[in-house]
């Protein structure tokens, strides 16, 4: 009897030709961001996105980061700073922790469940989070499902 297990992920695993890049990742609640403003160290800081998807920065106050990519957030912060404070600000956003992303591991694993992932996660790491494969699991019959734009891809 062959048993299989399934992995459902909302963020691509670290390998694969069509893996998501950091530019594809959409910021979510509890993500930890490192924001730098070139030559203005007073405005650079590490911040965590709140439950509403917002964060607060000096001079510009609260802004909505949830749902944006890192590049989109860079542009938004630069626009806000340029409105009243700086000429041509150069902003960079580095996503230090991908806390809002989860992976679901089910099927022939020792501890099926939903696990938080931080940063790039390999298939082996996801299996390890689920306590490894059961004794009779078929390691050659693994299915990875990815949800993109509301549709599920195998």
């Amino acid at each position: 009897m062959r048993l299989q297990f399934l992995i459902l992920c909302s963020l691509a695993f670290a390998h694969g030709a069509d893996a998501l890049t950091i530019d594809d990742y959409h910021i979510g609640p509890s993500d930890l961001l490192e924001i730098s403003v070139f030559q203005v160290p007073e405005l650079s800081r590490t911040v965590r996105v709140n439950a509403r998807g917002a964060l607060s920065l000096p001079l510009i106050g609260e802004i909505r980061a949830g749902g944006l990519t890192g590049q989109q957030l860079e542009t938004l912060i630069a626009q806000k700073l340029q409105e009243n404070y700086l000429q041509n600000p150069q902003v960079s956003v580095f996503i230090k922790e991908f806390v809002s992303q989860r992976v679901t591991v089910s099927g022939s694993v020792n501890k099926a469940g939903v696990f938080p992932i931080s940063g790039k996660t390999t298939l082996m790491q996801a299996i390890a989070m689920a306590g490894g494969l059961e004794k009779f699991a078929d390691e050659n019959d693994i299915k990875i499902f990815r949800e993109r734009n509301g549709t599920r891809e195998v």
Side-chain angles (χ1 to χ4, degrees), residues 25 27-28 30-35 45-49 55 65 70 73 77 93-97:
Y25 177 76
I27 297 167
S30 300
D31 286 347
L32 187 65
L33 310 177
E34 187 175 296
I35 300 172
R45 61 199 55 231
T46 300
V47 295
R48 191 166 301 275
V49 179
L55 53 90
L73 183 58
I77 294 170
V93 173
F94 174 69
I95 303 168
K96 290 180 81 166
E97 290 180 15

Side-chain angles (χ1 to χ4, degrees), residues 19-85:
L20 292 174
T21 66
I22 196 69
D23 295 330
D24 295 323
Y25 177 76
H26 291 268
I27 297 167
S30 300
D31 286 347
L32 187 65
L33 310 177
E34 187 175 296
I35 300 172
S36 301
V37 181
F38 182 65
Q39 294 188 335
V40 189
E42 307 82 42
L43 298 178
S44 299
R45 61 199 55 231
T46 300
V47 295
R48 191 166 301 275
V49 179
N50 70 22
R52 296 183 327 273
L55 53 90
S56 184
L57 295 172
L59 300 179
I60 58 177
E62 187 171 280
I63 59 172
R64 185 143 194 83
L68 301 178
T69 65
Q71 194 171 37
Q72 290 170 328
L73 183 58
E74 288 172 357
T75 302
L76 177 62
I77 294 170
Q79 287 172 349
K80 297 278 187 189
L81 289 171
Q82 191 168 353
E83 284 175 4
N84 297 314
Y85 305 104

Side-chain angles (χ1 to χ4, degrees), residues 12-21 24 146 148:
F13 288 101
H15 65 282
D18 66 343
L20 292 174
T21 66
D24 295 323
R146 180 181 303 149
R148 270 196 202 169

Side-chain angles (χ1 to χ4, degrees), residues 87-133:
Q87 285 186 329
N88 196 26
Q90 296 177 11
V91 178
S92 64
V93 173
F94 174 69
I95 303 168
K96 290 180 81 166
E97 290 180 15
F98 301 88
V99 180
S100 67
Q101 295 298 308
R102 308 227 184 300
V103 62
T104 302
V105 182
S106 63
S108 299
V109 291
N110 290 311
K111 190 178 81 177
V114 179
F115 305 94
I117 54 176
S118 297
K120 291 182 179 180
T121 301
T122 66
L123 177 59
M124 291 299 292
Q125 289 169 326
I127 293 169
M129 284 187 264
L133 299 176

